[in-house]
Amino acid sequence: DFYTDWCGPCRLMSREVFPNKSVGDYMNSHFVCIKVNAEKGEGVQLAKTYNIEGYPTFVIINSDKKEILNLCGYREPGAFINEIDRALDPAKKPEIMKERYEKGERTPGLINSYASYLIENIPTGRNVSEEDYDKKVFEINNMVYDYFTSLSDADRLKHENMFIYQSFLNSPFDKPARFMMANLSRFNASDKSDIDSIVSKLYNREVNTLLSGSKNYDEAEFSTLKKEIKQFKLDKNGTFDGALKFIETESKSDKIAYINFCDKNLKILTDSQVGLLMASFSKHFTGADAATKKAAAKFLRNHIGEQSVDVIYFTSSQIGNLEGRGH
């Protein structure tokens, strides 16, 4: 593991990924794991030897010092394991996994590796629309959900199927998520810390998705969301309270009233929630009339100077969207 003291993604890997039980079990059973500061001591020469150009970079070498794999950048726990595992196991080469799947194999190892590979290799770039990308993700997730549906309740609780909850949940209202939430106490004790982390991230993502305007409001789902955040004690510090109030207010107000509410109540959001709201604000006004968009742009202009540099950058594009200009 080549890292530096100043590297944010390196710290994320150390704080969120390496302590993950699944990651620890896999790495410790396959490798001798070494952390190398690429800017200190012998790490400087080692970084040159392995042509390290970004951080974090993970290099797998065998006992002959032959490089087997070189990965650069942050990975979620499931994606990190899968990418390494595919490099080590000849049976998990893409063309072989495709053949195994098409012949009807439905083992947890294959579904996890093949679906992860497909997700990681969805085409991206200017020529790929957000709609096309989301459609492909939906298709791959359905492949995993079809597998989930075929399992008995007992199998759904097994450690070998934890990948479903770790890597293929987008919302607390996905079918596997509903099963997970209804059976929290039935999972293996060794998986409890992973399950707790999944639940926390899942509900946080749902709140942020609604706050940003990336998902349409559904009254029944929102009522369940609020109830379960309280039921499972996911908001001990009250950090969701402001965001939930914003979401609920938008659902019950016209667009101008919502803009006025935002203008007066930004202080009840956390800094990260304010940044998320402002950096995606135009999504809330798709199809609105010119006067409403102008009012929304004015709100952003009034508050953009209070934000961090990265939020200012994204908020300026939102102003351009609302004012009909490309900046």
Side-chain angles (χ1 to χ4, degrees):
D1 170 14
F2 286 93
Y3 74 99
T4 67
D5 292 333
W6 48 263
C7 169
C10 300
R11 289 193 291 272
L12 278 177
M13 290 294 297
S14 294
R15 185 172 68 243
E16 298 182 3
V17 179
F18 297 145
N20 181 282
K21 186 178 186 304
S22 296
V23 173
D25 289 347
Y26 180 86
M27 298 298 288
N28 291 330
S29 65
H30 286 80
F31 308 109
V32 174
C33 300
I34 303 171
K35 289 179 68 69
V36 178
N37 190 320
E39 296 182 338
K40 293 183 179 178
E42 63 179 350
V44 176
Q45 183 57 49
L46 281 171
K48 291 179 181 178
T49 299
Y50 291 102
N51 298 312
I52 305 303
E53 296 181 348
Y55 305 102
T57 291
F58 308 99
V59 179
I60 298 176
I61 60 173
N62 63 18
S63 57
D64 296 323
K65 300 184 180 180
K66 179 183 177 182
E67 185 175 311
I68 297 172
L69 183 66
N70 183 307
L71 295 178
C72 183
Y74 175 86
R75 302 287 196 285
E76 292 288 340
F80 185 63
I81 293 174
N82 282 321
E83 201 162 348
I84 293 172
D85 203 41
R86 286 197 300 271
L88 300 180
D89 188 348
K92 291 179 180 176
K93 290 182 178 180
E95 63 275 14
I96 295 178
M97 288 194 294
K98 183 175 186 290
E99 180 181 359
R100 290 166 64 192
Y101 183 81
E102 290 177 347
K103 286 182 176 180
E105 182 180 334
R106 296 296 184 269
T107 56
L110 175 62
I111 297 298
N112 184 11
S113 294
Y114 188 40
S116 296
Y117 167 77
L118 293 174
I119 286 282
E120 292 161 16
N121 288 275
I122 297 175
T124 58
R126 293 183 178 181
N127 296 326
V128 179
S129 70
E130 184 176 348
E131 182 180 352
D132 288 342
Y133 181 88
D134 289 344
K135 181 180 178 181
K136 195 65 179 177
V137 171
F138 179 79
E139 291 172 356
I140 298 167
N141 279 342
N142 275 347
M143 183 179 89
V144 177
Y145 293 175
D146 286 345
Y147 166 73
F148 174 84
T149 300
S150 74
L151 300 174
S152 66
D153 283 3
D155 284 336
R156 293 173 180 179
L157 295 166
K158 290 181 178 178
H159 178 75
E160 64 188 16
N161 286 310
M162 277 290 292
F163 74 91
I164 299 171
Y165 313 105
Q166 290 171 324
S167 302
F168 294 97
L169 295 182
N170 297 304
S171 164
F173 302 103
D174 292 340
K175 184 177 179 180
R178 299 319 297 162
F179 175 84
M180 179 183 68
M181 299 310 299
N183 294 276
L184 290 176
S185 63
R186 297 177 62 198
F187 282 90
N188 297 330
S190 60
D191 291 324
K192 187 179 185 308
S193 62
D194 282 356
I195 289 290
D196 289 345
S197 177
I198 293 165
V199 170
S200 177
K201 289 180 180 179
L202 197 60
Y203 281 78
N204 187 64
R205 181 190 302 164
E206 186 73 5
V207 170
N208 287 343
T209 300
L210 289 165
L211 180 65
S212 70
S214 299
K215 180 176 180 178
N216 292 330
Y217 176 88
D218 179 284
E219 185 174 359
E221 284 191 357
F222 185 70
S223 177
T224 299
L225 182 70
K226 288 200 302 180
K227 181 183 75 174
E228 291 182 347
I229 285 174
K230 184 176 181 180
Q231 175 185 347
F232 298 116
K233 300 178 181 179
L234 299 173
D235 193 19
K236 295 178 182 178
N237 298 320
T239 54
F240 286 152
D241 290 346
L244 293 172
K245 183 66 175 175
F246 266 68
I247 295 163
E248 196 163 23
T249 299
E250 182 180 19
S251 73
K252 297 177 180 179
S253 307
D254 62 42
K255 294 298 184 184
I256 294 297
Y258 177 62
I259 293 168
N260 291 334
F261 175 84
C262 293
D263 190 50
K264 296 176 182 177
N265 292 279
L266 273 185
K267 61 182 178 293
I268 70 173
L269 297 176
T270 66
D271 289 346
S272 63
Q273 288 167 351
V274 171
L276 178 66
L277 177 73
M278 295 189 66
S280 59
F281 204 57
S282 67
K283 289 182 179 180
H284 298 264
F285 301 93
T286 302
D289 59 47
T292 300
K293 289 183 176 180
K294 182 177 180 180
K298 182 179 179 181
F299 158 75
L300 293 179
R301 286 184 177 276
N302 287 343
H303 293 278
I304 192 171
E306 305 161 9
Q307 309 309 316
S308 61
V309 172
D310 55 338
V311 175
I312 290 173
Y313 174 81
F314 290 108
T315 302
S316 65
S317 70
Q318 297 297 296
I319 294 171
N321 291 341
L322 290 164
E323 294 181 346
R325 292 182 285 144
H327 66 80

